Amino acid sequence: MRDAAVGFQCPECVAEGNRTVRQAQSVFGGAVVTTPYVTYTILGLIALVFVGQLLTDNRLGGALAMNTVYVVGEGEYYRMITSAFAHSTGLIFHVLFNAWAIYAIAPYLERAFGHVRFAALYLLSALGGSVMSLWFDDFRVATVGASGAVFGLFAAIFIVGRKLKLDVRGIATVIILNLVITFVVPAVTGLGISWTAHVGGLLTGAVLTGALVYAPRSNRALYQTLALLGGFAILAALTIVRATSLLS
C-alpha cells in the first residue's frame, strides 16, 4: 500500500491515477528540463576532443574535420557532424568562443525545447553548415569548429525571443556583428573563417526553430517531429546531390 492524502492506496490505483495526470512540458514541447544534460555533454565532448587533438599533434582533428575530398571520395560522411566537435589548435580563441557561446545560450534553448528537440536542433544546425561547405567551399579546404551549430543557436534564440515577445535587439546585434566578422576578418587578415558553415548553420537553425515554435498546439509533437525529420531529409538529399555531381 502507498501513503495518500487520505488513508492508503494500492500500487495499481496509484499507477492508474498517474496515467490520468497531465505531465508538465517545456515551453515548446518535450519534458521539463531541470539540468541541461545535452548542453553539458556537448561541452564535454568538445573539451575531450580538443585535449585529444593536442595529445595527438592534431591527428585527431584531421580525422574529424570536414573535408570534401574525404567526405565524397571516401564516403566519410560522419565528418559533416564530427567536425563540429573539433577546433583549431593554433587559435585557442576559436574553441573558447564557441564553448562560451554554447554555455551561455544552449541551456536556455534546451529548457525551452526539451533534451531531444534541442539535440536535434544543434546537430542539424551543424549539419546544415557542413552541407553549405560541401556545396560552396574549396574542396581542398578542411574545416573544423562548432561555429555552424552556434550560429544555429543564435538564430534559435532570436526566433524564440520574437515568439515570446521579448527584446531581441541584443541577439540581433550579436548575429550581425558575427556575420561582419565572418566576411571582413578573412579579407583583412587572411585568417581562415568558413562563411559557409556560419551561414549554413544560421539558415538551418532559423528554419527549424521556426517550425518548432510555430507548430500548431494540437498535435504539436507530430508536427515538430516531421519538421526535424524533413530538415534532415533535405540536408541528406543536398549532400547526395552534391557528392554525385563531384564524382561525375
Side-chain angles (χ1 to χ4, degrees):
M1 302 298 287
R2 301 286 186 268
D3 288 328
V6 179
F8 298 89
Q9 291 182 343
C10 64
E12 291 79 7
C13 296
V14 173
E16 182 64 29
N18 287 339
R19 279 194 289 269
T20 64
V21 176
R22 184 175 180 178
Q23 299 299 311
Q25 290 189 331
S26 60
V27 178
F28 299 110
V32 173
V33 172
T34 55
T35 304
Y37 292 115
V38 175
T39 298
Y40 296 156
T41 299
I42 291 169
L43 289 172
L45 288 173
I46 288 174
L48 287 174
V49 169
F50 191 73
V51 171
Q53 290 179 253
L54 295 176
L55 294 177
T56 62
D57 195 25
N58 206 33
R59 288 191 297 274
L60 178 60
L64 300 179
M66 169 60 197
N67 186 310
T68 302
V69 173
Y70 286 104
V71 168
V72 176
E74 304 297 329
E76 297 178 357
Y77 292 99
Y78 64 85
R79 289 174 175 268
M80 300 180 73
I81 292 293
T82 59
S83 59
F85 294 92
H87 288 81
S88 171
T89 55
L91 190 63
I92 189 67
F93 178 76
H94 187 212
V95 66
L96 290 180
F97 173 79
N98 284 337
W100 173 83
I102 294 169
Y103 177 78
I105 296 175
Y108 173 78
L109 291 171
E110 188 170 350
R111 291 187 174 97
F113 292 120
H115 297 306
V116 176
R117 290 167 178 79
F118 168 74
L121 175 65
Y122 183 89
L123 293 174
L124 288 175
S125 294
L127 179 60
S130 293
V131 169
M132 184 164 277
S133 295
L134 187 66
W135 275 82
F136 298 107
D137 271 354
D138 186 328
F139 72 91
R140 293 164 296 184
V141 175
T143 59
V144 291
S147 301
V150 168
F151 267 76
L153 299 187
F154 287 162
I157 283 288
F158 178 84
I159 293 174
V160 167
R162 291 280 295 176
K163 173 64 175 177
L164 298 178
K165 294 180 171 55
L166 303 176
D167 186 350
V168 296
R169 287 175 294 182
I171 188 62
T173 301
V174 169
I175 293 173
I176 292 171
L177 286 176
N178 277 277
L179 285 175
V180 169
I181 291 171
T182 296
F183 290 100
V184 172
V185 169
V188 174
T189 67
L191 182 67
I193 296 179
S194 176
W195 71 266
T196 54
H198 292 185
V199 175
L202 184 72
L203 294 176
T204 303
V207 171
L208 292 178
T209 303
L212 292 176
V213 303
Y214 289 102
R217 281 189 171 274
S218 58
N219 296 319
R220 179 165 59 182
L222 174 61
Y223 285 110
Q224 290 176 331
T225 300
L226 291 175
L228 293 171
L229 291 176
F232 174 75
I234 292 171
L235 292 174
L238 289 171
T239 300
I240 293 171
V241 170
R242 180 58 173 164
T244 302
S245 68
L246 290 173
L247 288 172
S248 61

